[in-house]
Amino acid sequence: MNQYPHVFQPLKIRGRILKNRIQFSPHAPNLPTESGEVTDALVEYVSQQAATGVAFVTISDCQIEQKSGASFLGEMDIEKPSSIAGLTKLAEAAHEHGALISIELSHAGAGANPDMISQPAYSPSGVQIPAPMCTPHVKAMDRADMDHVRDKWVEAAMRCVAAGFDMVLVHMAHQNLIGQFLSPATNTRTDEYGRSPENRMRYPLEILKAVRDAVGPGILIEIRLSAQEEIPGGMMIDDVVAFAKEAQEYADIINLSRGSIFFPAAGVLHMPSYLSERCLNADFAAKVKEAVHVPVSVCGNIITMEDAEKILAEGKADIVGMARSLMAEPNLIRNASEGHEEDSRPCLRCMECSSYSGSGRPIRCAVNPRLGRELYCKSKPAATQKKKVVVIGGGPGGMTAARTCAERGHEVVLFEKSSRLGGLLNDASSLPMKELMRNYLRWSVEQTEKSGVTIRLNTTATMDLIRAEKPDAVILASGSTHIKPNIPGIDTGNVKMVYEADADLEAIGKKVIVCGAGISGIECAAELCQRDHQVTLLDMIPVEKMGASLQPFLFMTFFLDIFPKHQVELVGDSRITAFTENGLVAQTPEGEKSFEADTVIIALGVKPDQSLYEEILKEYPTSSYFIGDCRAPGGKILRANHDAYYTALNI
């Protein structure tokens, strides 16, 4: 029985048939060469996107002109006539798997990267965007500039058509150049292209008409809009609806995103995290859909196929854009169609993939080690020689290593000292905000349990136990342990370890000090302050360095939104000297100081568990492997999974 009848309903537009209602949303994989040329890795990446079963793939954010509009490292250069060769390879890669292919054509305008452009950036009004990544050198566009940029859009679109693309996306969202014309926040012109909403629409519509006239009736045109910019004085949904009604004369699909890439509060809306609302643009899409006669596509934290089906069934959109869930699980659509949803690896929305965006580094995923490396790792090859593999530790890395070895045909025994699999993920996922991590933990445990691995719980690995298995290879994935400092008063009743606090929030007093501004302390502080606790976050590092290791979108959410809104006090440069029944004492830059609290929470990080490291290495010098936290401090799920996967492929 098809549980997703709306998802799997075809859609015909201008004679083109979308085989279902899922679009692979544009994102930046950073796989071209340094000069923006298409690589074999990018071709394989697009091929694998299309192989997921989506109706169409959209290549991300390509600037129509580099010298005036380049935005981020890792962009594909489509400006040269010679780029048609590479674009053709991408189109062929998508078509081989029955997917249509589109491309996001953009110009950053005043948001151009100052290190990448060679002239002043174009803008509607010559006003700089006050954000660190934006150039201070801007030029108000005159008629000649506007004609030039319009023509560059047409040239770019025609190259894509020549390469075999089925559609082009004209990027008007996230405060890029056309969005800057549409928005009253950035368009202060006093001529016929400014002042009124009708005038602000004029130039964007001129570009759309020029592209439509150039590509002809057989090519689909999609436009991407921010449903709301969420910046002071920016576009609101009524403005977007009004423009969409005019744009549909030329556009075949209206794509709704949200926010701006340049302002923190708005930035987290176009790349939402595990802290963000689910399906956060669906209601906005419904308003646009009510007003237009062309299909509406919507993206924004649409995580599961159930989410997509609900949006479509309720008539809020005609197409659903997904990216990260498909990146985490390329078989998401296939599993849904075959009734095996439980086998789909959940996305964490941890933002690891977005931390690579614009950096020039190839994209990676915390839970899918193959992402961005498809060319070099097309499959899990069967082992040429079956081996006995012992894995020590049932955390995320240990489970991935054990499963991968078993899938390749090895005999695997996994030792886990506790009564359940998961390691420190059991602690890290207990807060209410960590639902997606709990989903991933449950999936990982279930997949490991049915993978054929022999699992020995409540078994602390010793050298005698390892020897008794007569292994051909040993993988140490013992992870890490929570740091509990030897500070006077640490065992006082009001002092709790962070995992204890997270698991029993009701037992936490009204006034709280969280000691440690790493991710576990930050998350705990955020959860408590939103429950109306009075929270102080204290660390040895300076306040300005708190959260520095966080992915930027997470930093913005915690430190620029949640903490200020709930008046979390940040105390830096302070070393705890004692815990007391009333709180703690710390050495601060102003001298020794007492801090009162009903509950003190210790979140001082973790340290590698290397208890068997030297013994294993000594006994199995060429057949032992060390993965994840146990080999180095400060690990992440990404490193544990990547270490585990590629180690298992090499056994």
Side-chain angles (χ1 to χ4, degrees):
M1 178 180 175
N2 182 6
Q3 299 184 57
Y4 308 100
H6 295 85
V7 167
F8 291 108
Q9 181 180 11
L11 178 64
K12 191 172 184 179
I13 311 174
R14 285 187 183 266
R16 305 265 185 174
I17 296 178
L18 307 187
K19 61 185 178 182
N20 57 49
R21 301 303 181 92
I22 303 296
Q23 167 187 9
F24 211 127
S25 289
H27 60 280
N30 296 350
L31 293 173
T33 65
E34 293 178 4
S35 59
E37 304 292 334
V38 170
T39 61
D40 290 344
L42 180 58
V43 173
E44 186 64 27
Y45 188 79
V46 170
S47 175
Q48 292 301 305
Q49 284 184 293
T52 62
V54 292
F56 64 104
V57 170
T58 306
I59 306 298
S60 173
D61 208 9
C62 297
Q63 309 306 315
I64 58 163
E65 183 176 68
Q66 292 289 309
K67 68 179 182 180
S68 66
S71 180
F72 62 90
L73 296 171
E75 291 175 342
M76 188 167 65
D77 183 359
I78 60 166
E79 191 176 357
K80 303 185 294 292
S82 60
S83 65
I84 292 175
L87 290 169
T88 300
K89 294 177 183 179
L90 299 179
E92 290 173 344
H95 292 156
E96 285 173 4
H97 295 284
L100 303 183
I101 186 166
S102 182
I103 186 166
E104 190 176 48
L105 302 179
S106 184
H107 190 294
N113 187 323
D115 297 327
M116 297 179 66
I117 59 174
S118 58
Q119 67 173 60
Y122 293 128
S123 82
S125 310
V127 177
Q128 177 190 356
I129 293 177
M133 71 285 287
C134 298
T135 179
H137 306 296
V138 296
K139 177 184 187 294
M141 295 175 75
D142 57 27
R143 184 67 253 180
D145 297 327
M146 294 166 71
D147 290 344
H148 170 72
V149 168
R150 179 201 61 207
D151 292 345
K152 295 295 289 187
W153 234 290
V154 168
E155 291 170 10
M158 291 306 294
R159 287 190 197 99
C160 297
V161 172
F165 276 62
D166 306 286
M167 64 179 86
V168 295
L169 186 158
V170 180
H171 196 359
M172 303 180 170
H174 308 154
Q175 217 178 355
N176 284 294
L177 179 62
I178 303 183
Q180 291 162 28
F181 267 91
L182 288 169
S183 176
T186 45
N187 185 347
T188 59
R189 296 174 74 104
T190 57
D191 62 4
E192 68 269 33
Y193 294 98
R195 292 178 294 196
S196 69
E198 293 76 18
N199 285 353
R200 292 196 302 273
M201 294 180 194
R202 194 181 307 276
Y203 184 55
L205 291 173
E206 285 181 8
I207 289 176
L208 270 181
K209 182 179 185 303
V211 173
R212 168 55 71 204
D213 289 345
V215 301
I219 299 297
L220 304 185
I221 295 177
E222 183 180 11
I223 62 171
R224 192 172 218 197
L225 298 167
S226 288
Q228 294 194 157
E229 287 185 300
E230 309 292 357
I231 61 174
M235 289 184 75
M236 302 297 286
I237 184 60
D238 290 343
D239 303 312
V240 172
V241 168
F243 177 71
K245 290 168 70 173
E246 299 298 321
Q248 66 182 334
E249 180 178 351
Y250 312 109
D252 302 297
I253 301 172
I254 311 292
N255 180 306
L256 270 295
S257 182
R258 196 161 159 204
S260 161
I261 58 175
F262 305 119
F263 293 92
V268 297
L269 293 170
H270 91 275
M271 187 72 79
S273 73
Y274 63 92
L275 301 163
S276 304
E277 174 189 356
R278 295 275 282 267
C279 306
L280 51 82
N281 298 319
D283 289 340
F284 291 116
K287 292 186 177 183
V288 175
K289 183 169 165 53
E290 288 174 2
V292 300
H293 56 73
V294 299
V296 172
S297 178
V298 66
C299 63
N301 240 21
I302 302 169
I303 298 176
T304 66
M305 293 294 282
E306 287 83 359
D307 291 340
E309 176 68 20
K310 186 172 187 290
I311 289 169
L312 295 167
E314 292 176 352
K316 292 182 176 180
D318 304 285
I319 301 166
V320 169
M322 304 177 79
R324 286 175 288 174
S325 292
L326 291 164
M327 290 152 64
E329 179 49 79
N331 289 318
L332 183 72
I333 294 173
R334 184 172 296 105
N335 287 341
S337 70
E338 296 175 358
H340 300 301
E341 292 93 337
E342 74 281 359
D343 290 333
S344 291
R345 181 193 296 113
C347 172
L348 297 175
R349 287 303 193 269
C350 62
M351 314 306 287
E352 285 286 1
C353 56
S354 65
S355 69
Y356 291 80
S357 179
S359 68
R361 296 182 297 160
I363 195 167
R364 298 292 184 261
C365 172
V367 298
N368 177 9
R370 292 186 63 242
L371 186 79
R373 301 192 68 184
E374 292 85 356
L375 179 66
Y376 314 104
C377 185
K378 293 188 176 183
S379 64
K380 289 191 281 282
T384 55
Q385 178 184 353
K386 183 177 180 178
K387 294 182 178 180
K388 178 77 171 287
V389 181
V390 168
V391 179
I392 302 165
M399 287 190 287
T400 296
R403 287 195 308 272
T404 307
C405 285
E407 289 164 4
R408 295 188 60 227
H410 294 307
E411 179 186 354
V412 183
V413 176
L414 186 155
F415 292 119
E416 168 53 45
K417 64 183 177 183
S418 73
S419 60
R420 58 179 177 172
L421 295 173
L424 293 190
L425 275 193
N426 290 298
D427 296 337
S429 63
S430 60
L431 285 174
M433 68 172 69
K434 303 306 287 290
E435 176 191 1
L436 298 180
M437 185 173 283
R438 289 192 294 277
N439 292 344
Y440 173 73
L441 172 59
R442 181 171 55 251
W443 172 87
S444 190
V445 170
E446 290 174 355
Q447 295 297 311
T448 304
E449 288 175 340
K450 69 180 188 180
S451 67
V453 171
T454 299
I455 301 169
R456 295 183 181 162
L457 300 177
N458 299 303
T459 304
T460 299
T462 64
M463 291 307 299
D464 286 341
L465 284 176
I466 296 169
R467 290 188 197 101
E469 296 294 336
K470 298 181 175 152
D472 299 298
V474 178
I475 300 175
L476 182 63
S478 51
S480 52
T481 59
H482 293 282
I483 294 173
K484 185 175 182 180
N486 186 22
I487 295 174
I490 188 71
D491 294 319
T492 303
N494 63 337
V495 178
K496 297 180 180 292
M497 297 296 290
V498 66
Y499 61 88
E500 297 171 323
D502 290 350
D504 190 8
L505 294 168
E506 299 302 320
I508 306 302
K510 181 71 174 178
K511 192 171 185 179
V512 184
I513 299 175
V514 178
C515 304
I519 185 62
S520 62
I522 289 168
E523 288 178 336
C524 182
E527 185 72 48
L528 290 170
C529 75
Q530 293 178 96
R531 290 169 172 256
D532 295 325
H533 292 262
Q534 182 181 338
V535 179
T536 297
L537 185 62
L538 181 146
D539 203 303
M540 292 175 63
I541 63 176
V543 167
E544 59 269 20
K545 291 188 177 180
M546 289 184 179
S549 63
L550 290 177
Q551 195 278 342
F553 289 99
L554 294 180
F555 175 85
M556 290 186 286
T557 303
F558 285 119
F559 285 90
L560 302 182
D561 181 20
I562 295 174
F563 287 169
K565 187 183 298 181
H566 296 277
Q567 300 180 327
V568 172
E569 182 183 4
L570 304 178
V571 177
D573 293 305
S574 298
R575 181 175 57 84
I576 304 164
T577 57
F579 297 100
T580 70
E581 293 181 355
N582 299 316
L584 62 81
V585 179
Q587 189 67 38
T588 75
E590 293 78 35
E592 194 168 77
K593 182 178 178 181
S594 295
F595 294 84
E596 293 186 0
D598 302 312
T599 306
V600 177
I601 297 172
I602 306 299
L604 298 177
V606 295
K607 59 184 178 181
D609 180 356
Q610 298 177 332
S611 53
L612 288 173
Y613 197 106
E614 291 185 8
E615 290 179 89
I616 290 173
L617 185 60
K618 182 178 179 180
E619 188 144 345
Y620 304 96
T622 61
S623 57
S624 57
Y625 306 87
F626 307 92
I627 66 172
D629 282 9
C630 79
R631 73 175 175 87
K636 296 181 176 181
I637 294 177
L638 183 147
R639 190 176 74 189
N641 279 329
H642 285 231
D643 280 0
Y645 185 78
Y646 289 104
T647 292
L649 289 190
N650 286 317
I651 293 177

